[in-house]
Amino acid sequence: AQSVSQHNHHVILSEAASLELGCNYSYGGTVNLFWYVQYPGQHLQLLLKYFSGDPLVKGIKGFEAEFIKSKFSFNLRKPSVQWSDTAEYFCAVVAGGYNKLIFGAGTRLAVHP
Amino acid sequence: KAGVTQTPRYLIKTRGQQVTLSCSPISGHRSVSWYQQTPGQGLQFLFEYFSETQRNKGNFPGRFSGRQFSNSRSEMNVSTLELGDSALYLCASNPGQSTGELFFGEGSRLTVL
């Protein structure tokens, strides 16, 4: 069965620190990869996506992610976090068509001023 | 453009009752998906509807059902409620492509007593 693993459940950073959140998936075929974010009190929204092409993708608010096929990974990065990045981040994969997203368990990020 | 609208936002039911949740997708979106979010199981796919037809289903018991109307609005129903059905139920819409790029509503929070 397809699955998504997120390495960190809770991350605490100070403003201006760099961020990297790990994500690994299990599926041998073609996948679409996503990072979704849920800010406090807000709905889940798309942060960035990878379908094909350049494995380094850029999303909103300065986030980027790198797809490494050989490692089945899609790690999220941001060079310098802000207090407003405090949120829960979900890695997700679609494999086999349609819109059935398989989500990771999520990472709660807290950024302190 | 209005986002995905879910009603009701909060509801409390008792065990054995049934509940119906409603979702209005973004105008022009023909695919509607439903997800269950709980602290223990995370985000889990329930089902997806496209053009009034269910085209994908997750691993939930038959007590969970849904439907989609000709105007793309969707409802999901849970019968014979159990305590474990307490969750945030998220609806998401998509223009119709099978990409996994979804636009989520704020959810309906169901508490079963």
Side-chain angles (χ1 to χ4, degrees):
Chain A
Q2 300 147 19
S3 65
V4 177
S5 297
Q6 292 185 237
H7 309 311
N8 311 96
H9 293 298
H10 292 91
V11 174
I12 301 173
L13 295 172
S14 298
E15 276 193 318
S18 63
L19 170 72
E20 180 159 4
L21 301 182
C23 172
N24 286 90
Y25 64 94
S26 64
Y27 186 74
T30 302
V31 294
N32 289 350
L33 296 159
F34 305 85
W35 279 94
Y36 281 86
V37 61
Q38 194 167 32
Y39 296 103
Q42 295 188 28
H43 61 279
L44 199 61
Q45 56 189 282
L46 181 67
L47 192 60
L48 48 75
K49 63 189 178 188
Y50 174 80
F51 292 170
S52 64
D54 188 344
L56 185 63
V57 293
K58 295 189 184 300
I60 60 172
K61 303 187 179 184
F63 285 90
E64 64 179 31
E66 184 176 14
F67 169 53
I68 303 180
K69 189 175 181 178
S70 61
K71 295 185 178 180
F72 298 91
S73 70
F74 190 56
N75 293 352
L76 181 70
R77 298 195 292 250
K78 186 171 184 178
S80 175
V81 295
Q82 301 174 314
W83 175 79
S84 58
D85 293 326
T86 294
E88 189 160 16
Y89 293 81
F90 295 91
C91 182
V93 61
V94 165
Y98 302 131
N99 288 307
K100 180 180 178 179
L101 284 168
I102 308 297
F103 283 92
T107 298
R108 287 186 184 272
L109 171 66
V111 180
H112 295 299
Chain B
K1 207 176 200 182
V4 177
T5 304
Q6 293 187 243
T7 57
R9 291 292 313 282
Y10 303 91
L11 66 167
I12 300 173
K13 294 285 187 179
T14 56
R15 278 182 299 173
Q17 287 187 311
Q18 73 160 12
V19 66
T20 299
L21 308 177
S22 180
C23 172
S24 293
I26 291 172
S27 178
H29 285 195
R30 299 169 61 195
S31 163
V32 173
S33 304
W34 289 89
Y35 289 80
Q36 183 196 63
Q37 186 175 22
T38 60
Q41 300 298 317
L43 282 152
Q44 294 186 287
F45 173 79
L46 281 157
F47 27 64
E48 181 194 8
Y49 287 87
F50 176 77
S51 291
E52 302 178 66
T53 300
Q54 185 183 88
R55 69 178 182 183
N56 211 341
K57 189 177 188 302
N59 296 323
F60 279 82
R63 300 186 296 108
F64 291 81
S65 63
R67 58 178 177 169
Q68 186 180 34
F69 302 96
S70 58
N71 61 357
S72 295
R73 190 176 68 84
S74 176
E75 289 181 346
M76 69 162 282
N77 183 276
V78 188
S79 62
T80 320
L81 284 166
E82 301 176 0
L83 296 179
D85 297 332
S86 294
L88 181 66
Y89 290 89
L90 296 174
C91 171
S93 74
N94 168 289
Q97 313 103 324
S98 299
T99 61
E101 185 173 354
L102 302 181
F103 297 82
F104 285 85
E106 293 185 323
S108 292
R109 185 166 295 282
L110 170 65
T111 301
V112 181
L113 302 176

